[in-house]
Amino acid sequence: MIGQMDKKQVDIFLRDIRLLSRQPQLSRFKSLAIYEYPFDLQLLSLSSLYRESRKQYLELGGRFHPRIASTMRSLSAQDLFADEIDYSPAATELAWFAANVEDVYDPAEEVAALEHFNVISVFHEQNHRILWRLLPPAPQGEHLLRRYLNFAESLVVMLDLALADQVGSKLSPAFERMKVIYRSGRASKKWSSSKQVYRNYLAATQLATYLILEMIDTSDVSVAVNYVLPGQAHLNREAVARAFDISELFTRITNPHWQERYWRRARSSLAKIHRDSDDIELVLPRDPLDLDQELAIAHHVLNEFGL
């Protein structure tokens, strides 16, 4: 007999599978879908941003490989700069589990196993590969490169938030719990009713995320965002609050550890990606209050993704 908390976890997991399985799966988007990636066609059918990201990744020659991917291998072994993404082909397994849970001896153990090997948001991963091409070349020094990598990560997170908003507050929590997207939608209608205001909101979330990744003191993030993006204090307040939904484990441990271990590989890989570029290196200021022209990059990214 499974415990009460385990039963609750299983019930939520099953409810999410059944809810997401019922969502539209439009045949005209099947050519973009990834084999056996959970709820991929549903997301392609729901979100123009999800479709645009997939199209851009495929256009740059990106490939997908259906290989079991644990959390640890995903964080340590996948090459963030190679146009190849591994994912666990778990769609049929999830559907079978939802239909046959009564025949499973330990449903909680099955949920734990499925969650352990189904942790990759392909959307997030492919956006990293797209953004390397959209950004100017990277600087060479370790500390400058780390700021560059944090800036790139904040842009990818901005797109995660935009996807969650497109999917909506009803469905995005279930997609997030299934790990196919990394955030839930919650943008206030006050900011999403106007395209330009919403873009300003997303840009504010990107800036706040960058400051958090740079480990600016928590109490100073709001002050810095208001200084760099003046005249929109109410919008900034909600954007900063949402930015702080990012995992503290990621910002304080996983991200710095990855950079410490792989920054030389990142430097070499980015140099190859930008070897034919005539653009000036993107050197972010040590003091984030000096950010200026860099802020236009967020809006450029939103343009490129049709937002």
Side-chain angles (χ1 to χ4, degrees), residues 43-179:
L43 280 168
L44 287 166
S45 302
L46 285 166
S47 168
S48 61
L49 173 57
Y50 195 82
R51 294 192 296 272
E52 180 61 28
S53 173
R54 181 65 49 78
K55 289 175 184 176
Q56 290 194 33
Y57 180 68
L58 294 174
E59 286 171 1
L60 64 82
R63 298 176 297 280
F64 300 101
H65 299 296
R67 299 172 178 145
I68 295 297
S70 67
T71 302
M72 289 309 300
R73 188 171 80 81
S74 302
L75 292 173
S76 62
Q78 290 227 53
D79 188 344
L80 194 61
F81 306 95
D83 298 325
E84 299 182 349
I85 298 171
D86 290 356
Y87 68 95
S88 295
T92 296
E93 189 70 17
L94 291 169
W96 177 88
F97 178 61
N100 298 276
V101 63
E102 295 84 0
D103 299 327
V104 177
Y105 176 72
D106 190 338
E109 184 178 74
E110 181 73 6
V111 169
L114 288 168
E115 288 183 333
H116 183 70
F117 291 105
N118 189 42
V119 295
I120 294 295
S121 169
V122 163
F123 175 80
H124 181 96
E125 294 298 320
Q126 67 195 18
N127 286 341
H128 267 296
R129 279 72 172 178
I130 295 166
L131 279 166
W132 301 138
R133 275 75 175 186
L134 294 180
L135 286 173
Q140 297 298 299
E142 179 182 358
H143 296 295
L144 294 176
L145 180 60
R146 287 193 182 203
R147 287 202 285 272
Y148 180 97
L149 293 172
N150 284 336
F151 190 76
E153 183 70 34
S154 69
L155 292 166
V156 175
V157 170
M158 176 183 71
L159 294 172
D160 288 338
L161 297 176
L163 173 62
D165 290 341
Q166 275 199 0
V167 171
S169 57
K170 177 182 177 182
L171 295 175
S172 59
F175 279 116
E176 182 185 21
R177 285 190 292 268
M178 299 305 299
K179 302 298 191 295

Side-chain angles (χ1 to χ4, degrees), residues 278-290:
D278 295 324
D279 292 336
I280 299 172
E281 292 178 355
L282 176 59
V283 177
L284 290 129
R286 181 176 181 179
D287 185 346
L289 295 182
D290 292 334

Side-chain angles (χ1 to χ4, degrees), residues 229-248:
L229 298 174
Q232 53 181 47
H234 294 296
L235 183 153
N236 288 343
R237 185 180 303 116
E238 289 195 20
V240 169
R242 195 170 182 200
F244 271 112
D245 286 343
I246 195 169
S247 166
E248 188 172 2

Side-chain angles (χ1 to χ4, degrees), residues 196-262:
Q196 187 56 53
V197 173
Y198 180 60
R199 283 165 58 92
N200 291 340
Y201 166 81
L202 289 175
T205 65
Q206 180 268 324
L207 174 59
T209 301
Y210 172 68
L211 297 174
I212 293 167
L213 292 171
E214 282 290 292
M215 294 196 229
I216 302 300
D217 189 88
T218 300
S219 61
D220 292 334
V221 171
S222 292
V223 175
V225 171
N226 285 330
Y227 178 86
V228 177
L229 298 174
Q232 53 181 47
H234 294 296
L235 183 153
N236 288 343
R237 185 180 303 116
E238 289 195 20
V240 169
R242 195 170 182 200
F244 271 112
D245 286 343
I246 195 169
S247 166
E248 188 172 2
L249 175 65
F250 175 77
T251 61
R252 297 286 176 177
I253 299 176
T254 306
N255 187 53
H257 177 72
W258 186 94
Q259 291 181 1
E260 181 179 0
R261 187 173 180 182
Y262 294 112

